[in-house]
Amino acid sequence: MHTRTLGNTGPAVSALGLGAMAMSGAYGATDRTESIATVHAAMEAGVTLIDTADFYAMGHNEVLLAEALRGRDRDSYVLSVKFGMLRGPGPEFGGVDARPEAVKNFLAYSLTRLRTDHIDIYRPARLDPAVPIEETVGAIKEMVEAGYVRHVGLSEVDAATIRRAHAVHPIADLQIEYSLLSRAVEADILPTLRELGIGLTAYGVLGRGLISGHWSAGHVGGPGDLRGFSPRFSSGNVEHNLALVEALRRVADAKGCTVAQLAIAWVAAQGDDIVPLVGARTRERLAEALPATELDLTANDLAEIEKAVPAGAARGDRYPPAFMSSLGVRN
């Protein structure tokens, strides 16, 4: 497994990271034993970056990871944790709380659930419109100085917010959606990150499965599958988007790889400062994703991919309307 360094001040991590959200029911039913086996398989393959959030099934994901990581050398993996999203006992979300006192409270819970004495990268999941980013980052900075956090990260914020946060404490990386279907970061955010020496961890590199090569029109996820509310998966949009996937499949076939591998490799090829996160919840999907780190895309390959899925070609927003206002970029 190759490694990449997150920005000028962040840690060295595997060139492919594991996003654990899907292991806690975001895309339907999961199997605990298989989830833990997938984490183990990822680490055995050299994956060191593991991403979670305290609100993934309200702590379930952190507890799951604690079990999967039990007995492992703490220096053998890098934990990235998001915080701040508020939820009720049902499916509803209640906004964001990134007040300094909330930062420390959320962190205390995460440290306990993860059974660790520090978080490697700690980041607010979204910008709290009621709290200046300087106050939120200032609170995380205090936790860095106290030894509970190693690095400060951001998630889904715009270029101006990145600059303000970085002025308070060096930011290791920005976590944001980046894929062939979601390329808005290329206009302002990616240049800003590179100017400031900040890395990017890209989630949604397979469009939540839409460009994995395994989704089909008419497919219905199980209970709790958030894709049932996603505009890109809705009738009328999904057919258009899957036509893009079929164009991509022709490029993948010519390259001798799967659609998923090509989509992941494309993100990785956009710069050595970018680390794709793959939300595999089974060893089968992980095994498919891993070879993407060895896939060398030529200039001709990249041109063919661009023809198959041009920037802005996706139909539908990447989140339901209620969540769009909290994003640093829309698509």
Side-chain angles (χ1 to χ4, degrees), residues 98-100 127-139 161 164-165 168:
R99 295 169 299 138
L127 182 67
D128 185 340
V131 180
I133 191 63
E134 290 85 353
E135 294 184 14
T136 302
V137 172
T161 302
R164 289 168 55 196
V168 176

Side-chain angles (χ1 to χ4, degrees), residues 170-231:
I171 302 300
D173 72 312
L174 170 73
Q175 186 176 123
I176 198 164
E177 188 167 353
Y178 188 26
S179 73
L180 281 165
L181 299 185
S182 298
R183 296 178 58 178
V185 298
E186 295 173 346
D188 296 318
I189 289 180
L190 199 48
T192 298
L193 295 177
R194 288 173 171 161
E195 174 192 338
L196 298 176
I198 299 171
L200 187 151
T201 45
Y203 76 86
V205 294
L206 296 179
R208 298 170 181 80
L210 184 56
I211 53 172
S212 66
H214 302 295
W215 196 268
S216 59
H219 177 81
V220 178
D225 191 332
L226 299 178
R227 291 172 292 195
F229 303 98
S230 172

Side-chain angles (χ1 to χ4, degrees), residues 28-43:
T30 59
D31 180 275
R32 187 178 188 84
T33 300
E34 180 62 24
S35 294
I36 291 173
T38 301
V39 174
H40 291 169
M43 296 188 73

